[in-house]
Amino acid sequence: MLKKNHDRVALIGWIVSILVPVIVSLLPVSGIFTGSLKTFFVITLFVILIIAFELLPKLIAAILLPSLYLISGLVPADIAFASWTSTTVWMVMGGLILSNVLEDCGLLK
């Protein structure tokens, strides 16, 4: 019963995650709300909803967002993935990996 309920919640999450951006994409383009801005908003809203409903792992969603910006032609690759080139991201990732290793081998207990 729990699995069936979880599947239904995930299905509703996917429907909302796809339907809301589609509705936004149907909004007319104006002087301020340009086509590029609309595409950016649709992609960002889609990934935010995926994260909010926990439909995909957060790492996949984090890689999906700049990838969709790149695929849609909104920005070049060096701008889309600029946040991954900073040292802060790699320091945090290194700290998380180190804490995982220390916990697995029992040094944190």
Side-chain angles (χ1 to χ4, degrees):
M1 183 69 173
L2 184 62
K3 173 86 170 133
K4 188 175 182 179
N5 189 28
H6 177 70
D7 290 343
R8 192 173 65 196
V9 169
L11 179 64
I12 291 170
W14 277 110
I15 290 171
V16 170
S17 296
I18 292 171
L19 191 62
V20 171
V22 166
I23 290 170
V24 170
S25 71
L26 296 175
L27 294 174
V29 176
S30 64
I32 297 173
F33 193 61
T34 63
S36 297
L37 183 61
K38 182 167 69 169
T39 305
F40 171 80
F41 189 56
V42 166
I43 291 170
T44 305
L45 187 60
F46 174 66
V47 174
I48 287 173
L49 289 171
I50 284 177
I51 293 170
F53 287 113
E54 297 179 349
L55 300 173
L56 294 174
K58 289 181 180 79
L59 179 64
I60 293 174
I63 295 171
L64 184 66
L65 187 64
S67 299
L68 288 175
Y69 291 152
L70 180 65
I71 291 169
S72 68
L74 288 175
V75 294
D78 58 335
I79 294 175
F81 293 101
S83 62
W84 291 93
T85 60
S86 73
T87 56
T88 306
V89 172
W90 296 107
M91 288 294 291
V92 169
M93 197 172 298
L96 291 172
I97 291 171
L98 181 63
S99 68
N100 235 359
V101 169
L102 292 175
E103 186 175 342
D104 284 349
C105 69
L107 288 176
L108 291 180
K109 293 178 184 179

